Structures are given as structure tokens and as C-alpha cells.
Amino acid sequence: TIAGRLDLRPMPSENQPMNSPIKHYRKIQLLLTLGCVEFFGPMFKDTGASHLMNEEWVGHARIHLGWLLGFMFFSGLANLYLIWILGGDRLACLKVTALWQGCHLAGFWSAVITAPMYGGQLVDERYHMHILGIEENAFVFGILTIILLAAVYFLRLAQSDASSQRVDDEQS
């Protein structure tokens, strides 16, 4: 079962013994897990009258949104699998997850930046609220971007620590 495969021990790298933890591993896991909100949040927020069931939208646009929501949902599941279950080089799995989340966030921010080119709007006042004076999507995706940057920071530290450990092991 999946529950039986969950490994909550500190993660070894490919070249480290099983009892040698990677520094910052749990922080990285938790940050990337929080980052998975970006994949699942829209399933709850965008399936109602504001988006997927919006009668004002043409059917073909709703098909594309349904497709995107499905892709995001399964991307979230894949991310959680890479973060918590898949064995092997787990540091590499966390890097793939960070890259995947980064691609998703870059897609959001590029859509926001290019919205004037295609008549897009970040806010529909009928359905969106503001948090601390910031449109909810920009606020949430801003927080998710900060979370991802923190995860990348700790990934870089973990990679540096793993590289230093390999050098020390080779010199001994």
C-alpha cells in the first residue's frame, strides 16, 4: 500500500549511507508539500459558476479549463508521490518537484503579465476578493512563489552539503 511505502526517515542521497540524513530534507518536503496547493486549489475554486460552470463562457473554453484542471490535479498527485513516496535518489525527486512547481508558477505569472495582449483579467469583481488589498490570486500565488523560493534555497543548501560530504568521503 502507499501508506506502507511512506518513508518518514531523513532522506539519504545516492552516495550516502541510509543512516546519514540530508540536512534540511524535512523542511524541503514540507515546503514543497505546501506548494502543492497550487495544483489542488483551483479544483475547488474554479469548478463553480465563476469558471467551469460559467454560462457566459463558450463550451470550448470550458473544455480547455476542464483539461487544465485535470492536468493540475494529476500534477499535484505526481508531486506528492515524488515528495513522499518514490524511492531512489530522493534529492533528485525533490528537484524535479521544485522544477515542476516552478513551471506552473511561471505559467501563472506569464499569464498575468501578458493578459493585456489577449484581453485577460486577473480579477472578476463578481467572484474574486482581495486579501490585504491584493487580488486573491496574486496574493496566493505570491505566497506560493515565496514558498517555492524557500524550498529552492534549502535544496541548494542540501545539494551543497551532499557535494561536500562526497568530497570528504573521497578524501578519507
Side-chain angles (χ1 to χ4, degrees), residues 57-74:
W57 286 27
V58 295
H60 187 71
R62 289 193 271 170
I63 282 284
H64 278 277
L65 179 59
W67 173 14
L68 175 64
L69 291 172
F71 176 76
M72 289 166 58
F73 176 78
F74 289 108

Side-chain angles (χ1 to χ4, degrees), residues 108-153:
F108 171 80
W109 291 116
S110 64
V112 170
I113 290 167
T114 61
M117 296 168 50
Y118 58 87
Q121 285 182 270
L122 184 59
V123 177
D124 183 335
E125 297 296 338
R126 297 174 293 176
Y127 304 108
H128 294 98
M129 64 176 159
H130 289 77
I131 302 169
L132 302 175
I134 303 168
E135 192 283 326
E136 68 181 282
N137 286 313
F139 183 85
V140 170
F141 277 84
I143 296 293
L144 290 170
T145 300
I146 292 167
I147 289 170
L148 178 62
L149 291 173
V152 168
Y153 171 77

Side-chain angles (χ1 to χ4, degrees), residues 142-168:
I143 296 293
L144 290 170
T145 300
I146 292 167
I147 289 170
L148 178 62
L149 291 173
V152 168
Y153 171 77
F154 287 116
L155 270 168
R156 292 185 66 139
L157 288 178
Q159 182 64 48
S160 176
D161 290 346
S163 296
S164 296
Q165 179 67 39
R166 277 194 292 275
V167 168
D168 290 345

